[in-house]
Amino acid sequence: MARTPEETLRQTLARVAPGTDLRDGLERILRGRTGALIVLGQDRLVESLCTGGFDIGIEFSPTRLRELAKMDGAITLDKDVSVIHKAGVQLVPDASIPTSESGTRHRTAERVAVQTGHPVITVSASMQIIAIYVGGIRHQLEGSESILARAMQALATLERYRSRLDQVTAALSTQEIEDTTTVRDVALVLQRLEMVRRISEEISQYVLELGTDGRLIALQLEELAASAGPGAEVVLRDYSAAAQEAGLADGPIDVEAAAAGLPLLSGTEIVDLGTVASLLGFTGGPDALEKHVQPRGYRLLTRLSSLPRAVAERVVDQFGGLQQLMAASIEDLRAVEGIGDLRAKSVREGLGRFAEDSLLERYR
Ligand SMILES: Nc1ncnc2c1ncn2[C@@H]1O[C@H](COP(=O)(O)OP(=O)(O)OP(=O)(O)O)[C@@H](O)[C@H]1O
């Protein structure tokens, strides 16, 4: 499957992360103050852009890369960085491809990356910079210290976002059980879930770039992300028919489309609860946020870990809404396919616990 330039860049960042052989080779070139132009990919198209130079065909090693970079011209590797194919080649990409770079090494790198779709790495002799070109993207590698500083800052932000998410999620559970939920409460949880997702994604990018220097950050990210609970899709499913029930839409929303739309909201859109609520079909501006809505019960049921997803769905279908579900007896629950005595009891007890927790939350 064709990758997007962003995906290819992520993969390339992993290949050049500290601790990898390729990074070791690049650092050696940087210290040697020579410079390099390296294509990560070998196919017919790359071949057709190469003139002169030497066919090498040896296993990749950092010291070999450094030695070959002393020659004028470019080096081609296979995409997995296991073989050095050519060295000292002159690359002649299509000159009509626009480039914003100035020196010939960097102009060539940008054009070859666009023309071939392969990542191209440059080590600038004059500026002492390593850059990656993928498609039309240029990414400059930074030292681990500055990335680490930003990653630590992002982790602190994630911690704050997480505790706010936990607050609004607990508040939503209480409101759902007491049947006092408004669109605002739901939009707030969706907003916070998305903010946590965005900052977690930013941190995983740093982890990727940091390679072996990012192990501690990775552990902290894992810890903070692991207990985040179900994602936005479950919340959207819970309220997929809410706008229809409020007489604002002809049918339920498309949950998948709404879940895909949430990450697409811009930084300013995501802070506006009205825009988030429009994903649920509530497009009436500030007034729409105060509308009373009722969940179907998916989210609370997914917190009962013993219940398989398919059974949870049947329970929701059977009762139609959380309020009816909360009122269901063990016998009512047993009537659902896949629910025997034990499960009926554990669902009943689980729901009872939620009700108690919600009371505690209210009077805390
Ligand atoms: N088309 C090309 N194919 C292969 N190698 C090239 C090509 N263009 C430039 N180079 C390599 O880059 C070297 C530096 O070229 P130049 O100084 O013009 O580029 P630059 O972008 O200013 O690079 P730097 O930032 O390293 O100074 C050349 O000596 C050559 O080894």
Side-chain angles (χ1 to χ4, degrees):
M1 213 172 66
R3 289 176 185 277
T4 63
E6 286 75 15
E7 283 167 346
T8 308
L9 177 62
R10 277 178 69 83
Q11 198 187 42
T12 313
L13 284 175
R15 293 210 194 292
V16 299
T20 60
D21 280 353
L22 182 53
R23 180 58 164 260
D24 184 12
L26 294 172
E27 298 279 357
R28 283 166 191 264
I29 296 169
L30 207 59
R31 284 197 297 273
R33 298 183 176 269
T34 41
L37 174 59
I38 303 165
V39 184
L40 291 195
Q42 177 69 33
D43 57 18
R44 279 212 192 134
L45 183 54
V46 173
E47 195 83 30
S48 72
L49 306 184
C50 294
T51 59
F54 308 97
D55 287 326
I56 306 281
I58 50 165
E59 197 184 323
F60 177 89
S61 83
T63 42
R64 282 172 180 163
L65 184 74
R66 196 269 169 277
E67 288 308 314
L68 292 168
K70 287 178 183 167
M71 268 192 280
D72 232 20
I75 296 171
T76 65
L77 309 177
D78 66 331
K79 68 174 175 34
D80 302 324
V81 193
S82 52
V83 178
I84 302 176
H85 281 285
K86 288 172 182 287
V89 293
Q90 184 73 18
L91 289 166
V92 191
D94 181 350
S96 68
I97 296 173
T99 166
S100 50
E101 297 291 340
S102 49
T104 57
R105 194 197 311 269
H106 297 88
R107 290 170 76 79
T108 306
E110 192 172 19
R111 285 186 170 134
V112 171
V114 170
Q115 194 172 351
T116 65
H118 295 303
V120 180
I121 300 174
T122 55
V123 181
S124 165
S126 56
M127 289 181 291
Q128 290 284 288
I129 284 169
I130 303 174
I132 302 173
Y133 294 81
V134 176
I137 309 173
R138 175 185 188 273
H139 181 96
Q140 188 175 315
L141 286 194
E142 287 176 83
S144 290
E145 264 169 42
S146 58
I147 304 175
L148 265 174
R150 271 185 288 136
M152 294 302 291
Q153 229 171 29
L155 265 180
T157 308
L158 174 61
E159 251 181 283
R160 273 206 318 278
Y161 282 11
R162 259 307 306 271
S163 81
R164 182 81 182 114
L165 171 64
D166 291 346
Q167 275 172 17
V168 296
T169 310
L172 180 66
S173 300
T174 303
Q175 279 138 354
E176 286 182 341
I177 284 163
E178 295 179 352
D179 197 15
T180 56
T181 317
T182 63
V183 174
R184 177 187 298 281
D185 306 320
V186 184
L188 206 53
V189 169
L190 287 172
Q191 177 195 59
R192 290 288 150 176
L193 276 168
E194 175 58 16
M195 287 166 91
V196 164
R197 194 198 61 77
R198 284 182 192 196
I199 196 85
S200 304
E201 196 175 279
E202 187 183 322
I203 299 169
S204 24
Q205 177 89 9
Y206 294 139
V207 167
L208 202 76
E209 261 186 272
L210 284 166
T212 47
D213 295 341
R215 274 188 299 233
L216 276 178
I217 304 278
L219 283 176
Q220 290 181 63
L221 173 64
E222 210 176 284
E223 199 180 310
L224 280 168
S227 51
E233 196 180 330
V234 179
V235 180
L236 289 163
R237 286 185 72 185
D238 247 349
Y239 292 94
S240 63
Q244 183 187 13
E245 284 158 7
L248 296 172
D250 294 336
I253 56 157
D254 178 342
V255 172
E256 267 180 34
L262 194 57
L264 299 180
L265 295 182
S266 70
T268 36
E269 284 169 334
I270 194 72
V271 293
D272 175 31
L273 286 180
T275 309
V276 179
S278 66
L279 289 171
L280 287 163
F282 289 86
T283 47
D287 284 352
L289 288 176
E290 309 315 325
K291 289 224 179 320
H292 173 236
V293 282
Q294 290 185 309
R296 302 204 57 204
Y298 283 117
R299 190 179 62 90
L300 284 182
L301 275 181
T302 53
R303 285 176 51 194
L304 298 177
S305 53
S306 59
L307 209 59
R309 198 186 161 114
V311 179
E313 280 177 15
R314 276 203 290 277
V315 172
V316 168
D317 287 346
Q318 172 88 10
F319 295 97
L322 182 66
Q323 288 307 312
Q324 294 87 317
L325 184 57
M326 296 298 288
S329 65
I330 292 189
E331 284 68 40
D332 296 335
L333 286 163
R334 244 194 338 235
V336 180
E337 194 195 328
I339 297 215
D341 277 350
L342 270 179
R343 267 195 188 143
K345 253 183 99 180
S346 92
V347 171
R348 193 52 271 147
E349 277 169 15
L351 292 171
R353 255 196 329 273
F354 291 152
E356 280 167 26
D357 289 351
S358 107
L359 262 176
L360 286 176
E361 179 77 17
R362 168 73 62 219
Y363 295 108
R364 222 171 18 179

